[in-house]
Amino acid sequence: MVYASRGDGGSLFGKGGAWRHPMRDERLRKLARLLVEYSIGAREGEQVLLSGGAAAGPLIREVYTSLLEAGAIPFVHASLPGLQERFFEHARELHYRKTPPMVRALYERADAFVNILAPTNTRALAGVDPEKQQALSRRDKELSDMVLKRDRWVLTLFPTDALAQESEMGLEEYEDFVFAAMALEEEDPVAFWREKSRRQERLKERLERAREIRITGPETDLTLSVEGRTFVNSAGTHNMPCGEVFTGPVEDSANGRIYFGVPVAVAGREVSGVRLRFENGRVVEASAEKGEEYLRSMLDADEGARYLGELGIGTNYHIPRPTRNILFDEKLGGTVHLALGRSYEATGGRNSSSIHWDLICDLRGGGEIRADGELVQKDGRFVGLELG
Amino acid sequence: MVYASRGDGGSLFGKGGAWRHPMRDERLRKLARLLVEYSIGAREGEQVLLSGGAAAGPLIREVYTSLLEAGAIPFVHASLPGLQERFFEHARELHYRKTPPMVRALYERADAFVNILAPTNTRALAGVDPEKQQALSRRDKELSDMVLKRDRWVLTLFPTDALAQESEMGLEEYEDFVFAAMALEEEDPVAFWREKSRRQERLKERLERAREIRITGPETDLTLSVEGRTFVNSAGTHNMPCGEVFTGPVEDSANGRIYFGVPVAVAGREVSGVRLRFENGRVVEASAEKGEEYLRSMLDADEGARYLGELGIGTNYHIPRPTRNILFDEKLGGTVHLALGRSYEATGGRNSSSIHWDLICDLRGGGEIRADGELVQKDGRFVGLELG
């Protein structure tokens, strides 16, 4: 008789006494199918570049399996912890000159892209010179161009301890948070996101009828023109979790000021309490309660970095609060976000930059969005629209 | 005052009281420099494909750093545990048809290759149909052709718990075993391997003068012709650890029988106690104490699988005993190995096959190698040659 080595690694009974598979989370399989069938729609014979942190192993295995089942040809590009730090420490000038041809070759051949964030340390790059990070980002701009142009890409996240820590939660609590935001607790997540898309279509139509958007709230009164621009209804085809409607505002139109109360962890550091003032589209005053130096280096990346590339409105009410993670925070129902830098072509936006940096303004504590004067959202709830 | 969270993960004092860096093993840096400067001789601007199991992270980081310092352009291709199993479980016929173009693109562009074995489970593929494994190996033969043709490649190993377990050692004991076999305890491992190469040159010359090699030992009496063939002096440029002199015997020349007493773990299973009888180069009788079914499937892979592609003589006396790992066992001083299947072009060997499978015969307990009748090795020690 053997007692001590059952090897199940813990209780078989999870919350509420429901039986849970001890090793394989059914939600990961649902997520994999959602990404492969719905987000990128992988077809037989297509090449798919599946990138992700090595810590995302369990999800990478499920996505890999779903791709094989679809008859697609997956290539797994796993990134290992610590290599980026080594790059910034040891790379020479020649390494910043151009994208390695082997990397380029992968991107050129891929029909679709799945990218899974899974950091083991969200602050690993805190000590790296932002100029080096921007130089790398400029070097690889051609890669993002290729991905965006092909338009079949999705970015998602696998819960790690580092992300849970950044979010001030335990790992299992954070897993529940993440998978709820992705609607994986739903019986059929694909149906959920299709329905979400249908509902967002009405918001898109309402915003596209407007010429001017005005955002007011604490220390915030900003107007933007969106005349002639397209609002993109984003419901799980490029980000997971999703839930936003966004456009590229007219480049010289932003006027007023805005306070971004939601802290963001970006490039390995925290930036919070950002205040910006715009004149004719350009940032003319900028400050931050934390990370102001980084904010300034971003604004000085290039001329386009001082102009807006995106105005987005979050619609995901399954996300209860911000977690210093842009992929989730910008979708949070009741927030609005603006991105400095490059715009997405599909919106009609024409701002060009090597950066695209989202900043988030929480309107749930008091604030309004108006379209040509008409109230669209008040205190974080949409008016006359069912989006929850 | 804080006591409980020193974070050093254990005692700072290793064996013999010597201080050891708690996190970064100096031997890994030496190994990285050995691989980059000596084995592949990476130069500025060259592209290097750095492949390895994700568990080899600490070594991958050091090799990556050495490559950056040399001005080479590294591409890290890390493989994740569990993906191969998923491939064999879910891949469709189309997936066996041709090498994925993205993989091919990497190999085409690489000037040199570093490959690091680091399995987290040496028996993970025990349940996979060998025919599927051979089909995959046939599919990717063009990749090995490319690597061999470019001739700038090195295969090494990073100690993992799985490998330590296979070797019946604890992890730290196994690390010491591995790094001693690579001569990383030497002050200057590059100098060590250069000297090794110089000494092996005399063995090579002696063997090349001979027309016939005869191996005798327990249940073993085999003769082979090596007339006109080249013996390759292998001392760290393609394998690490290294230490062997090998050739491709004349294809139709093997006659007699041989007993391979050293067990091998291959493709996720163990094969041991292999007995082969040859007639005019061809295997005409074969049995194994363990893994006979697998042995038979290998012999039936193709016609070339029944002929020898390699005769090698191990010269590494830093390896004290076999560990069911071919990379180490075939180098063990006092053993001889024969490979079924493809020969290496540099030897003049002409056998073609999708397999190359090394089997090892230990002569240390009693046995001889003779070249044209003259004694070269007796009971595992070379006669008239200093190789230890």
Side-chain angles (χ1 to χ4, degrees), chain A residues 44 65 72 81 86 92 95, chain B residues 44 61 65 72 86 92 95:
Chain A
E44 188 165 316
T65 301
R86 291 290 178 103
R92 293 159 47 176
H95 292 110
Chain B
E44 187 165 317
R61 279 198 292 278
T65 300
R86 292 290 178 102
R92 293 160 49 177
H95 293 109

Side-chain angles (χ1 to χ4, degrees), chain A residues 98-115:
Chain A
K98 64 167 188 171
T99 299
M102 287 201 268
V103 178
R104 203 173 190 286
L106 294 181
Y107 280 71
E108 278 169 352
R109 275 160 188 76
D111 296 301
F113 303 83
V114 177
N115 192 6

Side-chain angles (χ1 to χ4, degrees), chain B residues 12-269:
Chain B
L12 287 172
F13 296 92
K15 288 176 204 157
W19 191 86
R20 290 175 114 181
H21 195 296
M23 306 297 274
R24 230 158 143 173
D25 192 321
E26 183 55 30
R27 297 173 298 185
L28 292 182
R29 293 204 223 192
K30 281 184 172 180
L31 176 53
R33 280 195 296 263
L34 183 62
L35 300 170
V36 170
E37 291 165 25
Y38 176 72
S39 303
I40 62 163
R43 291 181 293 260
E44 187 165 317
E46 286 185 332
Q47 297 190 65
V48 178
L49 183 56
L50 169 53
S51 314
L59 178 56
I60 291 174
R61 279 198 292 278
E62 297 302 339
V63 175
Y64 183 75
T65 300
S66 291
L67 289 168
L68 289 174
E69 286 173 344
I73 320 284
F75 179 89
V76 177
H77 188 203
S79 48
L80 298 180
L83 284 186
Q84 275 198 297
E85 293 93 305
R86 292 290 178 102
F87 181 86
F88 289 119
E89 195 183 338
H90 298 280
R92 293 160 49 177
E93 191 272 331
L94 71 97
H95 293 109
Y96 288 96
R97 244 178 261 158
K98 63 168 189 170
T99 298
M102 285 200 270
V103 178
R104 202 172 192 287
L106 294 182
Y107 280 71
E108 279 169 352
R109 275 161 188 75
D111 296 300
F113 303 83
V114 177
N115 192 5
I116 304 169
L117 302 170
T120 50
N121 174 355
T122 61
R123 305 296 173 96
L125 302 180
V128 174
D129 182 353
E131 277 186 31
K132 286 186 176 181
Q133 289 173 298
Q134 285 157 24
L136 184 65
S137 154
R138 273 194 301 277
R139 186 197 80 175
D140 288 339
K141 183 171 176 296
E142 59 170 327
L143 297 182
S144 24
D145 287 346
M146 276 190 254
V147 174
L148 292 174
K149 198 166 174 188
R150 226 144 302 170
D151 198 37
R152 291 177 59 200
W153 58 274
V154 64
L155 175 69
T156 190
L157 172 152
F158 179 79
T160 61
D161 267 309
L163 289 163
Q165 175 176 326
E166 185 73 65
S167 308
E168 298 175 350
M169 297 185 211
L171 181 58
E172 295 203 334
E173 184 189 359
Y174 183 65
E175 286 170 353
D176 290 345
F177 167 88
V178 166
F179 296 141
M182 296 175 179
L184 302 179
E185 313 284 10
E186 302 282 329
E187 177 136 344
D188 184 351
V190 170
F192 174 91
W193 287 105
R194 283 198 209 283
E195 170 63 17
K196 185 87 181 172
S197 174
R198 204 185 58 74
R199 291 182 181 196
Q200 284 186 171
E201 199 60 23
R202 291 191 49 218
L203 174 60
K204 167 188 158 79
E205 284 161 11
R206 184 148 156 200
L207 294 167
E208 278 183 353
R209 279 198 304 272
R211 276 164 309 179
E212 188 190 83
I213 303 291
R214 183 173 177 191
I215 303 159
T216 52
E219 299 186 59
T220 297
D221 188 350
L222 186 77
T223 56
L224 297 157
S225 164
V226 292
E227 195 172 357
R229 296 296 160 93
T230 301
F231 276 83
V232 174
N233 172 355
S234 190
T237 49
H238 292 94
N239 281 182
M240 186 51 62
C242 205
E244 64 166 325
V245 169
F246 68 90
T247 191
V250 174
E251 284 65 30
D252 62 359
S253 72
N255 276 294
R257 63 197 183 111
I258 184 160
Y259 173 65
F260 299 100
V262 178
V264 287
V266 60
R269 65 206 86 212

Side-chain angles (χ1 to χ4, degrees), chain A residues 101-376:
Chain A
M102 287 201 268
V103 178
R104 203 173 190 286
L106 294 181
Y107 280 71
E108 278 169 352
R109 275 160 188 76
D111 296 301
F113 303 83
V114 177
N115 192 6
I116 304 169
L117 301 171
T120 51
N121 174 355
T122 61
R123 305 296 171 97
L125 302 180
V128 174
D129 181 353
E131 276 185 32
K132 286 186 175 181
Q133 290 174 299
Q134 284 158 24
L136 184 65
S137 154
R138 273 195 302 276
R139 185 197 81 175
D140 289 339
K141 183 172 176 295
E142 60 171 326
L143 297 181
S144 26
D145 287 345
M146 277 190 253
V147 173
L148 292 174
K149 196 165 174 187
R150 225 144 302 168
D151 198 36
R152 290 177 61 200
W153 59 275
V154 64
L155 174 69
T156 190
L157 171 152
F158 179 79
T160 61
D161 267 308
L163 289 164
Q165 175 176 324
E166 186 73 68
S167 307
E168 298 176 349
M169 297 185 210
L171 182 58
E172 296 204 332
E173 183 190 359
Y174 184 64
E175 286 169 354
D176 290 345
F177 167 88
V178 165
F179 296 141
M182 296 175 180
L184 302 178
E185 313 284 9
E186 302 282 328
E187 178 134 346
D188 184 351
V190 171
F192 174 90
W193 288 106
R194 283 198 210 283
E195 170 62 18
K196 184 85 181 174
S197 174
R198 205 186 56 74
R199 291 183 182 195
Q200 285 186 169
E201 201 59 23
R202 290 189 50 220
L203 174 60
K204 167 189 157 77
E205 285 161 11
R206 185 149 153 199
L207 293 167
E208 278 184 352
R209 279 197 305 272
R211 279 164 307 180
E212 186 189 85
I213 303 292
R214 181 173 178 191
I215 303 159
T216 52
E219 299 186 59
T220 297
D221 188 349
L222 186 77
T223 55
L224 297 157
S225 165
V226 293
E227 195 170 357
R229 296 296 158 94
T230 302
F231 276 82
V232 174
N233 171 356
S234 189
T237 49
H238 293 94
N239 282 182
M240 187 50 64
C242 207
E244 63 167 325
V245 169
F246 66 90
T247 191
V250 174
E251 285 65 30
D252 62 359
S253 72
N255 276 294
R257 63 197 185 113
I258 184 161
Y259 173 65
F260 299 101
V262 178
V264 288
V266 59
R269 66 206 85 211
E270 185 175 318
V271 180
S272 60
V274 171
R275 288 174 174 84
L276 299 178
R277 194 165 69 77
F278 289 86
E279 272 180 24
N280 300 326
R282 194 165 191 273
V283 173
V284 291
E285 266 177 48
S287 68
E289 285 155 20
K290 186 171 175 185
E292 185 167 305
E293 199 181 342
Y294 182 75
L295 169 65
R296 295 203 179 282
S297 81
M298 287 295 271
L299 288 169
D300 292 339
D302 48 40
E303 183 54 21
R306 288 195 169 256
Y307 287 82
L308 291 175
E310 183 182 343
L311 157 69
I313 298 172
T315 66
N316 189 329
Y317 289 92
H318 282 114
I319 302 174
R321 65 174 179 86
T323 53
R324 280 194 285 267
N325 187 318
I326 188 62
L327 186 63
F328 284 68
D329 294 354
E330 66 165 15
K331 313 301 187 316
L332 205 160
T335 67
V336 62
H337 56 278
L338 297 174
L340 294 168
R342 84 178 289 172
S343 49
Y344 293 107
E345 214 174 307
T347 62
R350 284 188 287 266
N351 195 35
S352 167
S353 171
S354 63
I355 76 159
H356 177 98
W357 186 25
D358 292 283
L359 292 159
I360 297 150
C361 173
D362 195 339
L363 301 173
R364 293 176 303 169
E368 292 181 355
I369 304 174
R370 287 177 183 271
D372 285 347
E374 191 195 327
L375 197 62
V376 174

